[in-house]
Amino acid sequence: MQIEFSKYHGAGNDFIMIDNRTDDYRLWNALTPEVISQLCTRHLGIGADGLILAIKHDDQSAPYTMGYFNADGSRAEMCGNGLRCLMKFLADLGEPVRQMEQVGIVTGAGIVASRFADESTIQVAMPVPSFNPKDAKINLSEEAIQYEALIPGIVEPVTGTAVGVGNPHFVLYSREMWEGFEVHEIGQRISIHEELFPEGVNVGFARKEGPSVIALVVYERGVGPTLACGSGAIAAVGAGIAENRLNTGTRIEVRMPGGSLYVTISDDWSTAILEGTAEKVFDGVVTV
């Protein structure tokens, strides 16, 4: 089966985008986890941090669905950078999303509202950070804020905050810049620590650089270290507020290897806005 695709990125977080507005079952059947993993593998496939299907349906409140897959072919609840790329993809396909005041998109974490703030900037109303253990999907009975965890294979305990942003995150703040080998080694071991995180977890390595600026690298479950992570940016800001490092009602710049995203969590914790751009890289056709 030949499949037309487009490649997009948001702050370097890149995705294979496929138009499945007709919700064609043949496409679903063709995109097995093994095929998706092969397509996302760099050097041997197209190469991407994930694959996104754009689906359209008759619902005025939420006219689009994002089918999101990690690079290893597993399904994931949602992705903030992926949502922005989906908005740009839909606009490029001729969908009237630029003219809509608000676009409801169905994700595995529920309906998420998005909008074009201007010609290039896209805002996404992300799930508000939650520290409830059920939302953070951590195997504890109480909130894990600056929780000291013993991780197999890591000599010293790691201290982090478990956050649910539609998907699970564990954010570690440090005064020093995290090194690449630390991100990969520690991130991988925490991500697959099933006793504490039965469904796996995205691991954020953060450092405060100013009153409204943080640096962040995210080890994504099923992917590894990425250039950017939208939900990770929300989680890191939420954890920073919970740890009294950052303030609500402030536009926080989140500097990641692929570029900056901006996060604002309202004073009453009713909204969490992710802001950034999305860019098209190229189009192609692949046989699966």
Side-chain angles (χ1 to χ4, degrees):
M1 181 180 183
Q2 284 197 325
I3 299 176
E4 296 181 356
F5 71 92
S6 297
K7 182 81 174 287
Y8 282 70
H9 81 89
N13 201 189
D14 58 344
F15 306 94
I16 298 168
M17 314 293 298
I18 296 177
D19 178 8
N20 193 26
R21 286 175 291 173
T22 59
D23 203 8
D24 188 343
Y25 74 92
R26 294 172 300 171
L27 185 56
W28 283 103
N29 290 339
L31 292 173
T32 64
E34 294 75 19
V35 167
I36 292 171
S37 176
Q38 181 180 6
L39 293 177
C40 290
T41 300
R42 303 187 189 281
H43 307 299
L44 302 177
I46 299 167
D49 293 322
L51 182 146
I52 296 173
L53 295 178
I55 305 165
K56 186 178 180 181
H57 54 90
D58 296 327
D59 185 339
Q60 290 186 345
S61 63
Y64 305 100
T65 293
M66 178 176 76
Y68 181 66
F69 298 85
N70 291 318
D72 65 356
S74 60
R75 291 295 298 266
E77 297 89 346
M78 61 99 64
C79 172
N81 284 329
L83 279 164
R84 294 201 322 280
C85 288
L86 177 58
M87 284 285 285
K88 180 68 165 59
F89 184 47
L90 289 169
D92 292 343
L93 288 173
E95 294 292 328
V97 291
R98 288 186 185 276
Q99 292 74 44
M100 299 169 67
E101 183 176 342
Q102 179 174 291
V103 183
I105 298 175
V106 179
T107 74
I111 297 175
V112 177
S114 303
R115 64 183 289 267
F116 275 89
D118 55 39
E119 185 65 23
S120 60
T121 305
I122 301 165
Q123 294 177 336
V124 178
M126 297 284 286
V128 176
S130 170
F131 306 99
N132 184 303
K134 291 184 178 179
D135 296 330
K137 299 181 180 178
I138 185 171
N139 191 22
L140 295 173
S141 58
E142 298 180 348
E143 293 181 347
I145 296 176
Q146 291 187 295
Y147 174 77
E148 192 173 272
L150 294 173
I151 307 297
I154 301 177
V155 177
E156 298 292 333
V158 296
T159 301
T161 294
V163 193
V165 192
N167 53 10
H169 291 262
F170 192 62
V171 183
L172 291 70
Y173 270 89
S174 172
R175 292 182 179 178
E176 305 298 327
M177 182 66 73
W178 293 96
E179 299 290 343
F181 74 91
E182 293 177 315
V183 171
H184 192 279
E185 180 71 14
I186 297 174
Q188 182 184 46
R189 292 185 181 277
I190 296 175
S191 178
I192 61 174
H193 183 32
E194 294 183 356
E195 183 178 341
L196 190 59
F197 300 102
E199 299 181 30
V201 70
N202 303 293
V203 186
F205 297 85
R207 183 169 68 95
K208 184 177 178 180
E209 296 194 328
S212 59
V213 181
I214 64 171
L216 175 69
V217 180
V218 177
Y219 185 101
E220 292 191 37
R221 58 176 177 172
V223 181
T226 58
L227 293 178
C229 177
S231 60
I234 297 288
V237 172
I241 294 170
E243 296 177 12
N244 296 314
R245 302 175 189 272
L246 303 170
N247 297 316
T248 56
T250 302
R251 187 171 182 259
I252 306 295
E253 180 182 2
V254 183
R255 296 175 178 170
M256 290 175 284
S260 291
L261 298 176
Y262 297 87
V263 172
T264 305
I265 296 176
S266 62
D267 290 333
D268 62 358
W269 287 80
S270 63
T271 60
I273 304 300
L274 175 69
E275 187 176 329
T277 61
E279 302 292 338
K280 183 176 181 178
V281 184
F282 63 85
D283 296 317
V285 179
V286 66
T287 302
V288 301

